[in-house]
Amino acid sequence: MSSDVAAGSSATQQFVTRIGGRIRALRKQRGWSVQQLAEASEVSRRMLTQIELGQANPSLATVDRVARALNTDFAALALPDDATGAEVEGTVAWQAPDGSQALLLGATHEPRAELWRWTLAPGGRYDAEPDRPGAQEIHHVLSGRLTLALQAGPQVLVAGQSAVITSDQEYAYLNEDAEPVVFVRVVTGA
């Protein structure tokens, strides 16, 4: 399973369109060309053009790299303008054909923290790219069984269990069971 946003759902298209428009606006505010943003973010010029036009389904890590290059954060690009602390539906930031998805529920800016609700279908997997040094994630499993594939080896959490990991490493979320796994994820320092 790719870490790219799945095409097709209207919620996903809203996310892709929102981040594309915001990236373009921030790039133009800085007076940067697409090439300058490509160099600053280490994302290809072609990919950035497609993102700005709402034609690409970027990985969450790609959006994060572009956000950092523009001196902002993932949440500022992804959350709707009218998002409030009372919003519970969330913003679909990643979806897979099997029904797996990641909802960004909310975020703070200083200090930076993001609150997510993830669902992985049976057999579902999400491969994450390393965050910046010092970044961490807290996971709390609401239902099912989550396997965190870490460099030091797998860590398995069942409903009611929590764990803190450093996310400045390659890692993945896996559901190796026949039932969906639902978990909450808090990201700090990314």
Side-chain angles (χ1 to χ4, degrees):
M1 176 182 310
S2 167
S3 60
D4 290 348
V5 180
S9 98
S10 65
T12 301
Q13 188 56 50
Q14 287 174 359
F15 169 79
V16 168
T17 301
R18 182 181 310 118
I19 63 168
R22 288 182 177 164
I23 288 169
R24 172 180 270 166
L26 289 169
R27 177 182 59 78
K28 287 184 173 189
Q29 278 178 354
R30 288 184 172 270
W32 283 4
S33 67
V34 174
Q35 182 61 41
Q36 287 171 305
L37 180 55
E39 291 168 5
S41 64
E42 298 180 356
V43 174
S44 76
R45 188 178 69 207
R46 181 173 183 229
M47 173 61 85
L48 284 170
T49 299
Q50 290 176 333
I51 291 170
E52 286 188 1
L53 294 173
Q55 297 172 346
N57 296 324
S59 70
L60 302 181
T62 296
V63 175
D64 196 44
R65 282 196 307 273
V66 173
R68 283 193 297 247
L70 291 168
N71 200 30
T72 190
D73 58 42
F74 183 96
L77 295 178
L79 288 172
D81 288 332
D82 59 355
T84 66
E87 181 179 4
V88 293
E89 292 179 15
T91 297
V92 176
W94 173 78
Q95 216 168 10
D98 66 5
S100 297
Q101 69 174 350
L103 295 173
L104 178 58
L105 300 175
T108 62
H109 296 289
E110 290 302 325
R112 289 184 178 175
E114 299 168 357
L115 176 63
W116 295 78
R117 180 183 173 104
W118 283 71
T119 302
L120 287 180
R125 177 184 179 105
Y126 179 84
D127 292 301
E129 293 180 34
D131 289 321
R132 64 177 68 176
Q136 293 185 313
E137 295 185 3
I138 304 167
H139 302 93
H140 178 77
V141 177
L142 300 172
S143 63
R145 187 172 75 111
L146 172 66
T147 301
L148 300 170
L150 308 170
Q151 289 176 343
Q155 185 172 1
V156 178
L157 303 172
V158 297
Q161 291 184 323
S162 301
V164 177
I165 67 165
T166 58
S167 57
D168 56 359
Q169 62 179 309
E170 289 187 20
Y171 60 102
Y173 309 135
L174 294 91
N175 179 1
E176 300 174 312
D177 285 353
E179 298 296 322
V181 61
V182 178
F183 62 100
V184 175
R185 169 184 176 235
V186 176
V187 180
T188 63

